[in-house]
Amino acid sequence: MLIKNLKNFSIVFVLHLATAQKTSLQKIQLELLKTNFSLLTFDQGPVMNYKSKVAAALAFLTTTFALASCAYTFPEPAEPIILHNSHQQNNHLNGIGQIIKEDRRYCTAFLIDSRDSGNDASGPAYILTSGHCASIWIGTAADTAYQGQIQFNYFQDTLLDAKRYNIQKVNWASLAGTDIAVMELNSSLQAVIADGINPLKAALKAPDRLIQVRVIGAPSSAPGLRLSSCTQEPADTTLIKYLTVHTHYQKQDCKGIEPGSSGSPVMDIATGEVTGVMSGTTYAITATDLCFWHGLCATPGRQSVLPDQASQSFPIDYLMPCFSDGHFNIDAPACSLKPDFNFRARTNSDVTLYKAPENEYEKRPDWDVRFSMNTNFFRFKTVRDAHACYLPERYSNPIDISTGLVDAPIGSEAGLYYLCLVGVDLVDHQLSEGKLRNTQILPARLVKPGGISLPEPVPDIKHGTEELLVEYRQNTGRNIWTQIYVGAVGSTDCAGIESRSYTKIGDSFLVPNQALPLTLCSYTMDRDFNTSAVRTEILQKP
């Protein structure tokens, strides 16, 4: 029996609206183990729902947390407030709205002021939102179709009069070091303004100091737009989220940043200009998990007013030179987004874990990263500091993209490593600012085994009329999980099955009764490569 070996997905701390989340189960069929993870409505694709972790993160999102430093005095973040506009008191904010997909609330987005110096509004209307709201998992995308609508004037007391506009396409979206998307409506900016909708102006330069900001979005728990006021500071500490590694972003201590807030404008209170687009939060994640899975490790002497348990947004100042004559154009001379090399990983994974060599004679682990790009060649390097990916030094010579594989050694010491990948079209292409801006960075962690023995997994087997349900009661998730292998009775020796043939699962799976009887091999594993003894179970027909 063939087992589809899937790598683990991380909990993605992005803030789109999570729709109905049903308990996921995995179905084993005669020739293939198919995995059905519960959904977080992330770009209509599957993301493993570690229920306990997600629930903890969402349950405590609105809890107050203190500033990490007493060197500065800033106001305590205010409680979020619902905004109203029946008397047009917040008309200047009516260009902030909600993306609607298949009649479901999705992300927040806002109308950007793309008029040129002549105040010409004849070009298309554009909205900005988070990159993960543009139906991409990783890498960058340009000029792709998008089915959805944006509803402006999204206040609690104006919803009945709000007008929707069709979203025509994604002009550009990136999850390569950032989380931003530019989308085009099927209406001109002039027509939208004529309808009374006011675009927001973007700051020409990202703030490089502590400022007070407002985040205005449409989280799922609110009946309309909600405003949060707080402190923001620039961050240059590496942050890992899913397959995306961020090195430069802004972080805030706002309250009320919840699912549905993705894509919210972050506005400078002093100027009213948009400084960035809200992406996600790491609040309520333990310090241990922040370090291990997200790279946010406590560093002595690091100057930071806000804690790492905060929300994150990404500046948009570098996007504005890409608007030329009222149109978004990545070929504009001042635009630094080119080239767009559309990186696509062949497997979607969390921070990949490898065993660190126990001595100098043991072979170092290899990357084994398989991918595709729409360029002719790629270049790569391995670094310990993700910031070095944006420097041109030490990249490999161009490699033909048909290879689509990096199998170079990672390293020998325990800790985080980063693979930097850049696409180029010609062998002699230099690594320009535009190329390096789109660098795809993939994380890996080398771990020294903890040397302890874990308890065996204990399944709870329940017979149904058509399927058999196998549930594991222990806490499964990012730090401890169950590995299984299913084979034919009589020819499956669990003790002889190689570890790479096992499949990592969630807390339960289903087996069709017609596939029974089967032999179930399982063991418990944790992030330090500690394991239990292998358990053998015979799954019988009811």
Side-chain angles (χ1 to χ4, degrees), residues 43 54 61 88-89 148 199 235 242 274 295 301 367 405 431 477 507 536:
D43 140 33
V54 172
L61 274 169
Q88 299 188 349
Q89 64 269 41
Y242 184 51
V274 180
W367 278 107
L405 170 67
L431 295 181
D507 57 3
T536 301

Side-chain angles (χ1 to χ4, degrees), residues 363-381:
K363 184 181 181 299
R364 294 185 295 172
D366 296 331
W367 278 107
D368 191 27
V369 171
R370 301 175 186 275
F371 60 95
S372 63
M373 294 182 182
N374 63 347
T375 55
N376 296 322
F377 304 93
F378 72 92
R379 300 174 67 178
F380 78 93
K381 65 179 175 180

Side-chain angles (χ1 to χ4, degrees), residues 353-357 362-363 365 445-449 525 529:
L353 303 181
Y354 299 87
K355 284 186 180 180
E362 187 176 341
K363 184 181 181 299
R445 181 178 283 279
L446 268 58
V447 179
K448 288 187 176 180
M525 185 175 184
F529 288 99

Side-chain angles (χ1 to χ4, degrees), residues 253-518:
D253 62 351
C254 282
K255 297 179 180 179
I257 306 301
E258 299 175 349
S261 297
S262 286
S264 300
V266 182
M267 305 176 69
D268 187 336
I269 287 180
T271 65
E273 295 177 332
V274 180
T275 70
V277 175
M278 179 58 63
S279 170
T281 183
T282 46
Y283 186 62
I285 306 175
T286 66
T288 300
D289 281 357
L290 274 179
C291 179
F292 190 91
W293 295 110
H294 300 280
L296 292 173
C297 304
T299 303
R302 190 175 77 191
Q303 297 298 315
S304 180
V305 172
L306 303 182
D308 288 330
Q309 292 180 328
S311 60
Q312 304 91 30
S313 66
F314 291 92
I316 60 174
D317 53 344
Y318 65 92
L319 287 179
M320 303 322 294
C322 300
F323 287 94
S324 176
D325 297 326
H327 291 75
F328 184 79
N329 179 18
I330 60 176
D331 293 318
C335 184
S336 61
L337 300 182
K338 292 277 283 185
D340 166 18
F341 55 74
N342 286 308
F343 175 86
R344 292 292 179 270
R346 296 181 190 171
T347 56
N348 297 307
S349 65
D350 198 349
V351 178
T352 309
L353 303 181
Y354 299 87
K355 284 186 180 180
E358 296 186 15
N359 55 63
E360 60 180 314
Y361 306 106
E362 187 176 341
K363 184 181 181 299
R364 294 185 295 172
D366 296 331
W367 278 107
D368 191 27
V369 171
R370 301 175 186 275
F371 60 95
S372 63
M373 294 182 182
N374 63 347
T375 55
N376 296 322
F377 304 93
F378 72 92
R379 300 174 67 178
F380 78 93
K381 65 179 175 180
T382 299
V383 298
R384 299 300 303 271
D385 180 359
H387 293 79
C389 288
Y390 299 105
L391 301 176
E393 292 80 19
R394 293 184 51 238
Y395 271 95
S396 69
N397 291 325
I399 302 170
D400 194 289
I401 197 63
S402 62
T403 305
L405 170 67
V406 174
D407 56 2
I410 300 175
S412 56
E413 297 181 358
L416 281 167
Y417 292 78
Y418 300 94
L419 177 65
C420 319
L421 284 161
V422 178
V424 293
D425 284 319
L426 299 174
V427 172
D428 57 354
H429 264 180
Q430 299 299 309
L431 295 181
S432 63
E433 178 186 356
K435 291 184 177 70
L436 292 171
R437 180 183 291 279
N438 287 329
T439 299
Q440 190 65 53
I441 308 175
L442 303 180
R445 181 178 283 279
L446 268 58
V447 179
K448 288 187 176 180
I452 63 174
S453 180
L454 301 176
E456 292 181 14
V458 180
D460 182 14
I461 301 172
K462 299 177 182 178
H463 292 276
T465 56
E466 297 182 358
E467 297 168 314
L468 181 144
L469 171 64
V470 181
E471 291 183 307
Y472 290 95
R473 297 296 185 185
Q474 74 267 22
N475 179 27
T476 56
R478 304 184 84 190
N479 296 321
I480 185 169
W481 56 86
T482 303
Q483 301 271 121
I484 70 166
Y485 178 91
V486 179
V489 174
S491 61
T492 301
D493 177 12
C494 291
I497 304 299
E498 294 183 355
S499 60
R500 64 183 179 181
S501 297
Y502 279 76
T503 298
K504 182 178 182 178
I505 68 162
D507 57 3
S508 57
F509 62 91
L510 286 170
V511 185
N513 286 339
Q514 66 264 31
L516 301 174
L518 290 169

Side-chain angles (χ1 to χ4, degrees), residues 1-4 6 23-37 466-470 484 486 503-506 508-516 518 539:
M1 176 172 293
L2 300 176
I3 300 295
K4 186 177 182 182
L6 302 178
T23 302
S24 63
L25 301 171
Q26 295 174 318
K27 294 190 175 183
I28 300 179
Q29 298 182 351
L30 282 173
E31 294 299 327
L32 181 67
L33 177 63
K34 291 184 177 180
T35 310
N36 249 340
F37 298 118
E466 297 182 358
E467 297 168 314
L468 181 144
L469 171 64
V470 181
I484 70 166
V486 179
T503 298
K504 182 178 182 178
I505 68 162
S508 57
F509 62 91
L510 286 170
V511 185
N513 286 339
Q514 66 264 31
L516 301 174
L518 290 169
L539 304 178

Side-chain angles (χ1 to χ4, degrees), residues 519-537:
T519 298
L520 169 63
C521 312
S522 62
Y523 66 91
T524 303
M525 185 175 184
D526 68 11
R527 70 185 192 184
D528 294 321
F529 288 99
N530 298 309
T531 61
S532 69
V534 175
R535 181 187 180 99
T536 301
E537 209 87 37

Side-chain angles (χ1 to χ4, degrees), residues 165-179:
Y165 300 83
N166 290 325
I167 301 172
Q168 181 171 292
K169 66 177 180 178
V170 177
N171 297 77
W172 180 84
S174 177
L175 281 172
T178 187
D179 186 9

